Amino acid sequence: MIPWLLLVSLFCNSAQDGHSEEDGVFHCGSRNMTVKTLTQNTTLKQTILLTWEDEPSCVSVRDVLMYELELLIANKREHWEEVAVTPDQIGLTHSWNWTSHLALECTDHTLRLSSRYKNQTSGRKREHTIPGHEALGMPQVFPRDKPFEVGSRATFCCVLPTGEVLDKFYLSGSSNSHWNESQISTHTHVLTVDLSQPSSASGTDVKCATKKSHNGACAYIGYPPADQDLSCETRDLQSIECLWTVGRNTHLPQSMQTTYRLLGSECAEGFKARCSHKMQVDAGERLWTLTAQNPLGTVTLTHMADLTKRVHMFAPKGVKASKVDSRNVHVEWEWAVQTYNDLNITCQVNVRHGETHNSTSQHVGVGLTSAVLTDLIPNWTYAMMIRCTTTQHHWKWSEWSSSVTFHTLGDVPHALDVWMQEKDNKTVITWKVPLANQSHGDIIGYDITWAPTKTPERRESTSVRHPKNTLALSLDSMDEYTVSVTARNSHGSSSPSAVTVPILIPGGGVVKYSRILGSNGGFNLSWSTSPSASCGYIVDWYPVMGTSGLDWLRVPPSETNVKIFSKNLEEGKRYLLSVHACTHRAPVLLERREGYVKEKLIQDDLLKPLTWTQRNSDVVVTWKRVSLQEQPAFIQGYVLYCWDNNNRRVRNISTDNPQATSLTATNLPIGSYSVTVKAKTAIGQCGATHINATLNSLTDNLIWAICITLVTLFGLLSLFVILCYRHWECIKQAFYPPIPKPVLKDKLMLSSERCCHPVFVDMSHHSEAELMAIPKLHCKSEAPETDCVDRRPAAATNRYYEEPVEAFTIPNTAITCPSPPPSSLASLSLTQTSGVLPPIPQPGSQETDYLVTRSNGYQPQRNTEQLEDAPESLLPCVMTYIMLPQSRCE
Ligand SMILES: *[C@@H]1O[C@H](CO)[C@@H](O)[C@H](O)[C@H]1NC(C)=O
Ligand SMILES: *[C@@H]1O[C@H](CO)[C@@H](O)[C@H](O)[C@H]1NC(C)=O
Ligand SMILES: *[C@@H]1O[C@H](CO)[C@@H](O)[C@H](O)[C@H]1NC(C)=O
Ligand SMILES: *[C@@H]1O[C@H](CO)[C@@H](O)[C@H](O)[C@H]1NC(C)=O
Ligand SMILES: *[C@@H]1O[C@H](CO)[C@@H](O)[C@H](O)[C@H]1NC(C)=O
Ligand SMILES: *[C@@H]1O[C@H](CO)[C@@H](O)[C@H](O)[C@H]1NC(C)=O
Ligand SMILES: *[C@@H]1O[C@H](CO)[C@@H](O)[C@H](O)[C@H]1NC(C)=O
C-alpha cells in the first residue's frame, strides 16, 4: 500500500508541478465539507463543527497548504481564520470548530472555505449556511433555558416576524444600564447584558415585544459548585461515607443541580451533602475524591485519610438494665454491626434523674456489650443512655442510644443529720427529715437512744413516727449524754447519728454575743477560728420567740463564714444564731448573734396600755415592757412628745435605754395634754401610742393621796393581823429557833419575787457542799421579762445587754428554798452554788407529747406535793436572771 501511495504521490507531484508551472492555476481544494452544530450538554453552548477533506489533486502539494475559513453572521464577516495543512496531513479529514456568542437560531451563519497555496488562491470556494430561525406570528427569543454564570456577559437575540417592529427587548429585573441593544439584521435584534444578579429559582425572563405580540425566554443565572471540606468516615468498616459542606446556593433550577461523583461513581443522595459506597475498608491512607459538577463548572474535593481510624459507630441498640439492685445496675446492649465485636470500644453511660442528677461513666473493652453502674441512689428512678466510640483512634461519638429507665431497689435510709436545742429545761433532739434521695424507701419512724456518756449501760430508748423530727428529753443537767438517732424504713434502720449533749453547768460561761443584721434576705455570718473545732462548725438559728424553726448547717473546719439563706427566714422576726465548734465530744458553743434578716417598723399602739400618773407638776407615763415578740426591730430607746390644748408641742423627752418603761414630763402647768410615746429603732420612730393626761391642782391630789394611803395601810394591817393569828403555830414551828427574820404565809409561797429575792438570807446554816448534794427545784418565773432569758447560762444573761456587747461572766448564783412541811412555808436562802438558768418559758409548747422523763434519778418536774416527800431537802431556786439589772431587759 505505502509503496503504491509513494509512487502515486511522486507521479502527482511531478504532474502538478508541471501543471502549475504550466497554467498557474491551482486546483487543489476541499471536498466533502460537512457542517454540524454541537450542543454541549453541560454548557449548552452551540458550536459549529466543520470537517472537510482535500481534493485528490492536493496529493502533489509539497509545501504548506492554507485553508481560509470565513464566518459570516447575517452576511457580515464575524470571523476569519487560516488553517495550515502540512504535506503529511494532506489526505486526512480536517476539522475546525467555532463557538458563537450568539445562538445559532438568531440569524444565518455562513461558512466559507477556500484554499491557498503559495499565494495562489483557488478559485473554488465552498459555502454553507446554517439558517436562522424564522419567526412566525410572534417574536422568538434565543437562547432558551440557558445557564449563565453571575458576572458574565450574555447575548440574547429576538427574531421578529416579518414586517413587525421591535417595541421592547429587555431582561426582567435588570436595569438598562447593564445592557445594550442593537439590530443585526432586518429581523434580528441583539441584547447584550452584564449579568450581576443570580436568578430566582424559577429563572430570569428575557422578554421581547412588538406592538402586536410578545414572547420571551428563560435564563438561569447562577454559580458553579462551591462545595468544600470533604471528610470521609466509615460506620461499619464495610462501607464508606463522605460528608462535605455545600458552599453557596448555585441558584440553578432542579434540572441543573450539582451532581456528585465519589471515586468516579455517582452519588444518589449527593444533594444531602453525603455520599456512601459499599466497600471493604482497609487500613492505610488513601485519597478520597469527590467531584461536584453543574452546567457552570466543576469542583474536585479530596481528602486523605485512613478510614480504619475514622470509625463513627452506630448507637448501641437493645439497651436494657438487667440485675438492678439498690446501688448498682448491670447494663447490656447489642451491636447492629458484627465487625464491632472485634474493636476495642469505649462507651459512655449517662444516668440521669430529672434535672437534679446527671452523671456519666466511661467503660472500655473489646466488643463491649455490658457495663456495671455503681453509686446509684437506692429506690430511685433513672433514665439511662449510651454512646460509644473506638478506643484507639477516637473519631466521633456515636449517637446516644434510646433512653431506658430503671428503678433501683430500696435500702436502709441514709444516716440522719442530728442536732439538739436546749429548751424549757429539756434537751430537744432534732434531725432533718431525710430528703427523697436519702430515705431510700418510705420512712416509717425514728429510733432514739440515749445514755450518759460515762455510763452507757444506763441506756434508754424510744421511737417516734415519721414525719415528727424532734424529741424532747429531760436529761440530768449534771451529766453528759450521748443521743443517737436512726431512721427506719421497710428495709431496716440507718446507721446511727449521734450528738453529745454537754453538761449544762457552764464550765466557762464566756461567750461572744453580738447583734447581726441580715442582708439580701439572709444572714452573712462569720466567726473567728477555734482550735477546738476538729470536725468543723455547726451554725444553728431559730426565732427567739416561738417553739419551732430550728435549723442548722455544718461547716468544714477550713471555713469560718457562712451565708444563711432559708425560705423560712422572716423579716421582722428576731433570730438567735449560734456558732458551735464540732468536737469529737460535745459541741462547744463559740459565739451567739441575735438579729433580724430585716428590721420592720413597729405598728402603732405598741405601748398599750399606756398609763400616766401625776407627781407634783410632773406627768409620769409608764408602759409595760415590750416583749420580744412585738419587736420587729431592735428598740434603741423611747421618746415622749407632749402637746397642750393648743396643739403646741410643749415637751419632747427621750431616753436611749431600751429597757425603760417610763418617761417623765416635768414641770407642766395645770391643764390637759396629749401625750405620745414612740419607740426608737434603726429604721425610725414607730409604735406610736397616745394618751390624754390632765394635770390637777396639787392640793386636790394631796388629799386624795393621803386618803388612799391611809385606807390601804389600814386594810393591809388588818389582813396581816388576821393571818398571823390564824397561823401562829405554823409560823412558830417553821422559824423556831434559828430564823430571826419575818415570815411569809404559804399562800404567798413561790411567787417569783419572794422565791428569788434575797429577802431571807441564811447563808450561815447551809454549806455549799450540802446544797449541791440536795435535789433542787428549778423555779420558773412568771414575770414577762423571762422573754429575755436564755436557757443557757452563758448566753442567756447577755441577752439583757443591748449595748456594746462584750463577753462577760455571769455570777453563779442560786437561791435555795428550804421546804418547811407541813406548812410548806418557804424560807429562801441565797447561796453560792452554781446555778442553772431557767429557760425561756415557751407558752404553748408542743413538745409535751414527746417528753420522756428519766425513770431513775433526778426528776426535775416535781411539784409542791412531791417536795413534801423530802421534807429535809433544800430546794435551790434558780433565778439567776433576776439578779441582773432588770431595767436593762429589752
Ligand atoms: C467524498 O466525495 C467523493 C466524491 O466527491 C465520494 O466519492 C466519497 O465517497 C466521499 N467520501 C466520504 C467519506 O463521504
Ligand atoms: C474544537 O477545536 C479545539 C482546538 O481548536 C479542539 O481542542 C476541540 O476538541 C474542538 N472541539 C470539538 C468538539 O471538536
Ligand atoms: C454597552 O455599550 C457601552 C458603550 O459602547 C459599553 O461600554 C458597555 O460595556 C456595553 N455594555 C454591554 C452590556 O454590552
Ligand atoms: C483497649 O484500650 C484500652 C485503652 O487504650 C487498653 O487499656 C486496653 O488494653 C485495650 N484492650 C485491648 C484488648 O486491646
Ligand atoms: C439529694 O437532693 C438534694 C436536692 O434535692 C441535693 O442537693 C443533694 O445533692 C442530693 N443528694 C444526692 C446524694 O444526690
Ligand atoms: C459575707 O461575709 C464575708 C466575710 O466577712 C465577706 O467576705 C463576704 O463578702 C460577705 N458577703 C456578703 C454578700 O455580704
Ligand atoms: C425549769 O426548771 C425549773 C426548776 O427545775 C422550773 O421551775 C421551771 O418551771 C422549769 N421550766 C419549764 C418550762 O419547765
Side-chain angles (χ1 to χ4, degrees):
M1 181 74 176
I2 291 169
W4 185 83
L5 269 178
L6 276 174
L7 272 177
V8 171
S9 99
L10 275 173
F11 168 78
C12 284
N13 275 355
S14 59
Q16 269 190 357
D17 281 351
H19 202 106
S20 65
E21 294 293 317
E22 275 173 33
D23 52 19
V25 179
F26 177 56
H27 295 294
C28 173
S30 59
R31 62 167 189 174
N32 296 7
M33 179 172 110
T34 60
V35 176
K36 280 194 226 162
T37 59
L38 291 180
T39 303
Q40 283 164 317
N41 266 347
T42 52
T43 56
L44 296 181
K45 274 183 186 154
Q46 286 184 304
T47 300
I48 300 167
L49 178 66
L50 175 69
T51 57
W52 71 95
E53 292 167 16
D54 307 305
E55 285 196 328
S57 59
C58 299
V59 178
S60 57
V61 169
R62 299 240 161 65
D63 208 341
V64 178
L65 173 70
M66 303 300 288
Y67 283 102
E68 287 182 13
L69 284 149
E70 194 181 7
L71 181 94
L72 301 111
I73 291 179
N75 296 320
K76 270 183 236 129
R77 180 192 271 190
E78 176 73 21
H79 186 76
W80 181 89
E81 192 178 334
E82 279 186 334
V83 177
V85 176
T86 52
D88 55 319
Q89 291 172 330
I90 298 280
L92 303 176
T93 302
H94 312 298
S95 75
W96 172 87
N97 66 56
W98 188 77
T99 302
S100 171
H101 65 281
L102 201 62
L104 298 179
E105 296 93 337
C106 290
T107 185
D108 294 349
H109 284 69
T110 306
L111 271 167
R112 285 180 187 155
L113 180 66
S114 59
S115 58
R116 185 163 53 88
Y117 184 68
K118 289 186 174 168
N119 289 334
Q120 291 186 17
T121 309
S122 153
R124 241 173 292 163
K125 270 191 183 165
R126 295 191 191 273
E127 188 175 294
H128 183 89
T129 298
I130 307 164
H133 191 90
E134 260 181 67
L136 299 171
M138 47 167 53
Q140 302 288 332
V141 178
F142 301 101
R144 290 176 181 162
D145 301 332
K146 190 175 162 181
F148 297 94
E149 190 169 345
V150 177
S152 66
R153 177 170 289 186
T155 307
F156 299 93
C157 67
C158 179
V159 184
L160 299 176
T162 315
E164 287 191 27
V165 179
L166 183 75
D167 182 29
K168 276 188 215 149
F169 188 21
Y170 64 95
L171 187 81
S172 67
S174 168
S175 90
N176 62 1
S177 63
H178 286 111
W179 74 62
N180 291 329
E181 192 243 299
S182 61
Q183 185 167 17
I184 58 166
S185 72
T186 39
H187 299 309
T188 306
H189 290 257
V190 167
L191 186 72
T192 341
V193 191
D194 284 333
L195 304 171
S196 56
Q197 293 293 321
S199 315
S200 64
S202 57
T204 302
D205 279 328
V206 188
K207 289 183 176 166
C208 180
T210 64
K211 293 280 179 218
K212 287 185 184 164
S213 57
H214 63 88
N215 203 348
C218 197
Y220 298 105
I221 307 159
Y223 296 96
D227 301 79
Q228 54 195 351
D229 301 333
L230 179 68
S231 159
C232 296
E233 63 187 20
T234 180
R235 303 214 63 167
D236 53 6
L237 295 158
Q238 308 289 323
S239 63
I240 60 158
E241 182 166 305
C242 294
L243 304 168
W244 60 90
T245 51
V246 177
R248 65 181 160 215
N249 180 358
T250 61
H251 291 272
L252 296 182
Q254 194 61 43
S255 59
M256 297 177 191
Q257 279 305 322
T258 313
T259 55
Y260 297 93
R261 300 176 83 80
L262 178 63
L263 300 173
S265 32
E266 200 160 321
C267 300
E269 294 200 310
F271 60 91
K272 291 181 180 165
R274 61 170 57 224
C275 189
S276 56
H277 272 316
K278 280 257 169 267
M279 63 187 291
Q280 184 65 41
V281 175
D282 301 315
E285 295 231 313
R286 64 165 287 185
L287 194 66
W288 305 92
T289 310
L290 179 88
T291 56
Q293 188 174 43
N294 75 7
L296 299 178
T298 303
V299 290
T300 303
L301 311 179
T302 57
H303 179 219
M304 190 77 158
D306 177 355
L307 293 198
T308 56
K309 297 180 180 172
R310 293 182 161 228
V311 182
H312 180 195
M313 299 180 71
F314 288 111
K317 54 170 208 172
V319 176
K320 63 172 188 277
S322 56
K323 292 187 226 158
V324 181
D325 73 38
S326 59
R327 287 188 165 79
N328 305 325
V329 66
H330 187 90
V331 184
E332 289 177 351
W333 60 89
E334 291 163 17
W335 294 119
V337 176
Q338 274 299 309
T339 41
Y340 289 176
N341 292 324
D342 306 326
L343 298 178
N344 194 343
I345 294 172
T346 301
C347 290
Q348 284 186 339
V349 183
N350 174 268
V351 284
R352 57 163 65 226
H353 171 87
E355 297 300 305
T356 55
H357 183 100
N358 189 351
S359 72
T360 301
S361 56
Q362 196 142 313
H363 310 264
V364 181
V366 173
L368 193 70
T369 53
S370 67
V372 175
L373 310 181
T374 55
D375 296 332
L376 301 174
I377 301 169
N379 189 34
W380 204 241
T381 302
Y382 286 99
M384 159 186 76
M385 54 189 186
I386 305 173
R387 64 176 186 178
C388 301
T389 182
T390 46
T391 308
Q392 262 83 20
H393 305 286
H394 167 69
W395 164 237
K396 276 180 193 170
W397 284 105
S398 72
E399 295 82 18
W400 285 106
S401 70
S402 53
S403 180
V404 169
T405 54
F406 62 89
H407 190 91
T408 50
L409 301 183
D411 197 0
V412 299
H414 193 271
L416 295 167
D417 184 0
V418 181
W419 187 232
M420 65 183 160
Q421 184 183 18
E422 293 302 328
K423 198 153 82 175
D424 299 351
N425 299 349
K426 286 170 214 150
T427 303
V428 179
I429 304 297
T430 307
W431 53 92
K432 291 192 176 160
V433 170
L435 299 170
N437 58 9
Q438 297 171 330
S439 61
H440 305 166
D442 293 337
I443 300 280
I444 300 164
Y446 305 94
D447 300 315
I448 302 98
T449 60
W450 65 98
T453 310
K454 275 188 244 137
T455 51
E457 65 279 1
R458 281 166 55 202
R459 197 168 137 259
E460 290 177 66
S461 66
T462 189
S463 299
V464 300
R465 286 186 152 277
H466 180 75
K468 202 77 194 174
N469 66 330
T470 55
L471 177 72
L473 297 175
S474 292
L475 303 174
D476 184 350
S477 61
M478 307 295 284
D479 251 343
E480 184 183 277
Y481 279 82
T482 302
V483 182
S484 68
V485 188
T486 61
R488 190 163 22 88
N489 65 14
S490 58
H491 303 276
S493 291
S494 67
S495 54
S497 301
V499 63
T500 308
V501 182
I503 295 170
L504 290 191
I505 292 174
V510 184
V511 71
K512 210 172 135 198
Y513 202 91
S514 58
R515 279 188 182 180
I516 186 167
L517 253 183
S519 58
N520 305 324
F523 290 109
N524 189 9
L525 184 65
S526 59
W527 58 93
S528 40
T529 326
S530 163
S532 54
S534 56
C535 51
Y537 301 89
I538 298 147
V539 179
D540 72 11
W541 64 94
Y542 53 87
V544 171
M545 298 306 302
T547 54
S548 59
L550 174 71
D551 204 349
W552 66 95
L553 268 181
R554 292 181 188 272
V555 182
S558 54
E559 285 174 31
T560 55
N561 68 69
V562 74
K563 290 196 183 86
I564 297 169
F565 286 105
S566 163
K567 57 179 190 308
N568 299 329
L569 291 178
E570 282 173 43
E571 290 182 4
K573 206 171 194 185
R574 188 181 289 212
Y575 287 90
L576 186 65
L577 296 87
S578 319
V579 181
H580 309 260
C582 167
T583 70
H584 66 282
R585 296 284 300 278
V588 178
L589 178 64
L590 299 176
E591 289 181 27
R592 284 216 148 145
R593 302 288 160 84
E594 193 173 65
Y596 297 89
V597 172
K598 193 178 175 191
E599 289 185 302
K600 281 200 343 200
L601 282 177
I602 303 170
Q603 74 292 351
D604 281 354
D605 293 336
L606 166 77
L607 303 171
K608 273 205 163 151
L610 201 59
T611 54
W612 68 280
T613 47
Q614 180 178 1
R615 197 179 290 156
N616 300 336
S617 59
D618 304 343
V619 170
V620 181
V621 179
T622 49
W623 58 88
K624 263 174 66 184
R625 191 184 305 284
V626 181
S627 76
L628 286 182
Q629 212 149 17
E630 292 174 288
Q631 292 187 23
F634 285 114
I635 292 179
Q636 296 170 340
Y638 295 93
V639 58
L640 178 148
Y641 300 101
C642 196
W643 281 272
D644 67 8
N645 273 340
N646 304 325
N647 239 353
R648 266 183 313 165
R649 196 154 89 190
V650 291
R651 289 292 182 280
N652 178 1
I653 300 136
S654 83
T655 172
D656 286 337
N657 177 4
Q659 266 81 39
T661 52
S662 72
L663 279 171
T664 307
T666 49
N667 287 328
L668 289 173
I670 306 267
S672 294
Y673 297 94
S674 163
V675 178
T676 299
V677 182
K678 292 182 179 179
K680 295 198 283 187
T681 71
I683 49 172
Q685 295 183 358
C686 47
T689 312
H690 305 277
I691 195 174
N692 290 323
T694 309
L695 234 63
N696 296 324
S697 111
L698 263 180
T699 42
D700 297 353
N701 288 342
L702 208 62
I703 291 161
W704 265 111
I706 290 167
C707 287
I708 290 167
T709 315
L710 282 177
V711 169
T712 314
L713 273 180
F714 181 76
L716 281 175
L717 210 64
S718 316
L719 193 70
F720 187 73
V721 167
I722 292 164
L723 284 175
C724 285
Y725 177 74
R726 289 188 58 184
H727 293 277
W728 178 242
E729 277 308 306
C730 309
I731 294 166
K732 233 170 90 179
Q733 193 176 340
F735 291 92
Y736 175 83
I739 298 154
K741 294 291 177 183
V743 291
L744 273 181
K745 294 287 182 180
D746 60 351
K747 295 281 190 302
L748 301 172
M749 163 176 181
L750 290 181
S751 91
S752 65
E753 286 86 358
R754 290 180 187 264
C755 181
C756 302
H757 269 291
V759 181
F760 317 104
V761 180
D762 187 7
M763 289 169 63
S764 54
H765 292 261
H766 308 280
S767 74
E768 189 173 329
E770 266 177 315
L771 290 169
M772 287 293 282
I774 290 164
K776 299 169 197 173
L777 168 65
H778 290 257
C779 279
K780 177 180 170 178
S781 168
E782 282 140 33
E785 293 84 343
T786 47
D787 284 347
C788 305
V789 181
D790 193 343
R791 69 232 175 280
R792 287 294 189 91
T797 40
N798 285 318
R799 188 87 62 79
Y800 289 89
Y801 291 85
E802 279 286 327
E803 290 321 325
V805 194
E806 309 276 65
F808 66 95
T809 318
I810 314 141
N812 287 333
T813 322
I815 305 157
T816 53
C817 312
S819 171
S823 70
S824 305
L825 204 64
S827 157
L828 305 174
S829 301
L830 176 65
T831 72
Q832 283 304 110
T833 43
S834 304
V836 177
L837 272 180
I840 304 169
Q842 304 288 359
S845 167
Q846 312 273 303
E847 304 307 319
T848 39
D849 322 355
Y850 296 89
L851 170 71
V852 176
T853 308
R854 294 192 48 226
S855 55
N856 56 349
Y858 172 57
Q859 299 282 339
Q861 261 71 41
R862 282 195 190 169
N863 58 23
T864 335
E865 277 85 55
Q866 287 169 310
L867 292 177
E868 286 170 4
D869 299 343
E872 297 312 314
S873 298
L874 279 173
L875 301 172
C877 177
V878 186
M879 298 300 286
T880 311
Y881 63 96
I882 286 176
M883 301 310 292
L884 297 165
Q886 291 211 0
S887 61
R888 303 193 68 178
C889 180
E890 205 179 331

